[in-house]
């Protein structure tokens, strides 16, 4: 949930209406994943109204714009030359453990070419306790000179699911020697390669690039030219809540 504030700065009372437009992806029930309250009202001069915006999705998107739920909130006031517009976006994960802060994933096949049911059949539910691995990309677009330093943070979190608090953890594979020699450093916020993530919390992963002051004789940097450097590692997520989990019941429910 989040809040937005409307302020009537005119000397007259003004009615307003909130409209939600253009969902890129709907919920499985056909409803919008976003809601706003109140949807309409009248603001007296210099009166302020808080709008409560709620995001409640029921599945992890398998296609769409950056695999996210997006919608436009339009606040309509009569006789205004322009409506107030706010872009809403939200993401829903299929499992409790997730990674955030990476580059946005590419959308999958056009939904007009694949049915929603077929797309969900292609998703394999990860059995309880099995590792969950996915390829993600993190781009540090800042430029850095030899001997300098740039960094970016991503986060591993654990969402409580179905009202059940389930602990999780993640591990990071060590970087290869050529990557370390190039200046890459990957560490967690408490300098551990393996870290527990309690339900409802998230942990930081810090990615640093510190190119050596003296570049390799065969590198473009040695000739005063810019070049991209890449590093790869494996972040393994384990545990966390599963869709459909509930206290006292066998976890056999279908994932939303």
């Amino acid at each position: 949930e989040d809040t937005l504030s409307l302020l009537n700065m005119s000397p007259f009372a003004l009615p307003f209406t909130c409209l939600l437009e253009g969902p890129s992806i709907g919920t499985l029930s056909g409803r919008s994943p976003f809601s706003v309250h109140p949807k309409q009202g009248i603001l007296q001069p210099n009166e302020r109204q808080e709008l409560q915006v709620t995001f409640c999705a029921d599945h992890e998107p398998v296609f769409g714009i950056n695999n996210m739920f997006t919608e436009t909130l339009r606040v309509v006031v009569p006789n205004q030359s322009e409506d107030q517009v706010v872009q809403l976006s939200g993401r829903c994960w299929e499992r409790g453990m997730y990674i955030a802060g990476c580059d946005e994933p590419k959308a999958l096949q056009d939904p007009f070419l694949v049915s929603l049911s077929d797309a969900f059949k292609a998703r394999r539910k990860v059995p309880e306790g099995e590792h969950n691995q996915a390829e993600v990309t993190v781009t540090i677009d800042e430029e850095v000179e030899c001997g300098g330093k740039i960094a970016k943070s991503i986060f591993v979190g654990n969402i409580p699911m179905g009202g059940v608090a389930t602990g999780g953890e993640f591990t990071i594979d060590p970087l290869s020697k050529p990557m370390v020699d190039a200046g890459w450093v990957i560490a967690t916020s408490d300098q551990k390669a393996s870290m527990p993530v309690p339900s409802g919390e998230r942990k930081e992963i810090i990615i640093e690039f510190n190119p050596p002051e003296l570049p390799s004789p065969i590198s473009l940097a040695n000739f005063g030219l810019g070049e991209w450097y890449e590093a790869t590692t494996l972040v393994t997520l384990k545990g966390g809540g599963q869709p459909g989990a509930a206290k006292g019941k066998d976890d056999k429910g279908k994932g939303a």
Side-chain angles (χ1 to χ4, degrees), residues 188-254:
T188 55
S189 52
D190 64 356
Q191 303 301 313
K192 293 182 180 178
S194 178
M195 181 181 292
V197 186
S199 180
E201 297 186 14
R202 68 177 191 173
K203 302 296 183 179
E204 183 181 23
I205 300 177
I206 305 166
I207 303 172
E208 296 180 357
F209 181 52
N210 315 302
E213 190 168 349
L214 296 177
S216 167
I218 60 173
S219 68
L220 294 178
N222 188 52
F223 298 96
L225 301 175
E227 61 180 317
W228 280 98
Y229 280 79
E230 296 183 352
T232 58
T233 187
L234 185 66
V235 179
T236 302
L237 311 181
K238 186 176 181 181
Q242 293 240 7
K247 291 183 179 179
K249 295 182 180 180
D250 189 16
D251 182 13
K252 294 183 180 179
K254 294 183 179 179

